[in-house]
Amino acid sequence: MSYINKSVSINGTEKDFIKAFANELTSADNRITCETDIDAEFANEDSSHIITIIFDVSNCYKIKLIRAVAINRATYQYNIQTVVNNVDKSSASLYFLSTMKTVTDIATRTFNFMLISNDNAIAILFGGYNRTLPNTYDYNLISYHEQDFNIIACGTNTIASKSEFIRTDENHKGEIYKTTNRLLYSRDENVEIIESKPLVQNNIVVHDMKSVYDCSNVLAGNILIIDSNKYFAIDSNTLIKIKE
């Protein structure tokens, strides 16, 4: 499935909750894998240890969930961060409940995420217990994957798909691409794609992304049906085709 709007809510310990969340995220797309032995991470007896759960996405970038405080202290949040070309990018807080709880307390903790993907693109919105996606969220990212061309954009207060994309493949690692060349469309009775234009370019190269379309003034968060295909509006200008 390439369109998932999931609320992960578990009554148990913090380890139970994080394991459940990791399982749901990795199950949502097989390009996402968990690098961390979660049982071992929570078994660390160093009182100053900060629990960190690392996910790899298509061998192109990583997502970190970092506990807000050391393991022996009470907390109600994790920080989420993207690591691009071994550089930590902006981070945001994900709150899993409204009151402080220690790691071993039995409580209901909740994270939310939305994932929209196809063969070439992955977009994820992350939200804490009090978020209703896609209307409100705490962290978002979008990445594009093609042979020898991989780019990623992420953001907290910014919409990732309107931000700078960073290239992660070995040949051109670190190159910056920007969104450009708005796609025209007809807004009559049905939305109709008129022409697919490149979504990203840098100073030298224009790249035509497959199954991602740059539009003008669509309603973010909606699913559009165009020629029997489903598209999700990541933002007010960008559609990503939902893989059937």
Side-chain angles (χ1 to χ4, degrees):
M1 181 182 292
S2 60
Y3 174 81
I4 294 173
N5 192 347
K6 189 75 175 180
S7 180
V8 182
S9 188
I10 295 294
N11 183 262
T13 67
E14 193 171 309
K15 183 179 76 170
D16 295 334
F17 168 64
I18 292 299
K19 289 178 74 172
F21 179 76
N23 180 66
E24 293 291 348
L25 185 60
T26 56
S27 297
D29 193 296
N30 60 15
R31 289 168 290 186
I32 305 174
T33 58
C34 184
E35 292 187 343
T36 304
D37 183 332
I38 296 175
D39 286 324
E41 187 71 4
F42 276 87
N44 192 312
E45 295 182 354
D46 182 352
S47 61
S48 64
H49 179 65
I50 301 293
I51 292 171
T52 302
I53 313 300
I54 300 175
F55 300 92
D56 179 87
V57 184
S58 198
N59 294 318
C60 296
Y61 60 95
K62 299 182 188 301
I63 300 170
K64 284 184 181 178
L65 276 180
I66 308 168
R67 199 173 194 269
V69 297
I71 194 171
N72 64 331
R73 296 172 58 192
T75 187
Y76 51 94
Q77 73 184 85
Y78 274 68
N79 293 323
I80 186 168
Q81 186 169 56
T82 306
V83 183
V84 182
N85 298 331
N86 296 317
V87 176
D88 291 344
K89 309 305 288 184
S90 58
S91 64
S93 295
L94 294 181
Y95 292 87
F96 53 69
L97 39 66
S98 60
T99 58
M100 305 286 274
K101 297 287 182 181
T102 61
V103 178
T104 55
D105 283 344
I106 302 298
T108 299
R109 300 171 173 88
T110 302
F111 279 159
N112 299 283
F113 75 91
M114 177 180 284
L115 182 142
I116 308 95
S117 67
N118 54 51
D119 290 341
N120 297 104
I122 300 172
I124 315 177
L125 309 178
F126 292 95
Y129 77 97
N130 58 346
R131 298 300 193 187
T132 303
L133 279 59
N135 298 323
T136 61
Y137 54 86
D138 298 293
Y139 197 77
N140 70 115
L141 61 88
I142 181 170
S143 59
Y144 180 80
H145 308 273
E146 197 175 334
Q147 185 176 6
D148 300 324
F149 187 86
N150 294 280
I151 54 175
I152 164 73
C154 56
T156 52
N157 297 323
T158 59
I159 299 172
S161 47
K162 292 184 176 181
S163 305
E164 290 185 341
F165 285 79
I166 304 172
R167 196 161 171 180
T168 64
D169 51 280
E170 288 297 328
N171 293 332
H172 300 275
K173 186 178 290 186
E175 286 186 2
I176 301 297
Y177 285 72
K178 296 178 183 286
T179 58
T180 185
N181 295 339
R182 293 295 180 211
L183 175 71
L184 301 177
Y185 72 99
S186 166
R187 194 58 189 259
D188 297 324
E189 182 178 352
N190 297 308
V191 178
E192 179 186 0
I193 295 295
I194 303 298
E195 184 180 0
S196 176
K197 291 186 177 181
L199 180 68
V200 294
Q201 72 176 38
N202 64 9
N203 293 333
I204 303 170
V205 180
V206 176
H207 197 86
D208 192 0
M209 299 167 73
K210 300 173 183 176
S211 300
V212 181
Y213 303 95
D214 209 9
C215 300
S216 296
N217 196 29
V218 295
L219 189 60
N222 278 359
I223 293 177
L224 307 180
I225 298 177
I226 305 167
D227 295 333
S228 299
N229 294 311
K230 291 182 179 180
Y231 298 82
F232 184 84
I234 292 294
D235 60 54
S236 59
N237 294 102
T238 309
L239 299 178
I240 175 172
K241 185 178 181 181
I242 298 174
K243 182 180 178 182
E244 295 297 332

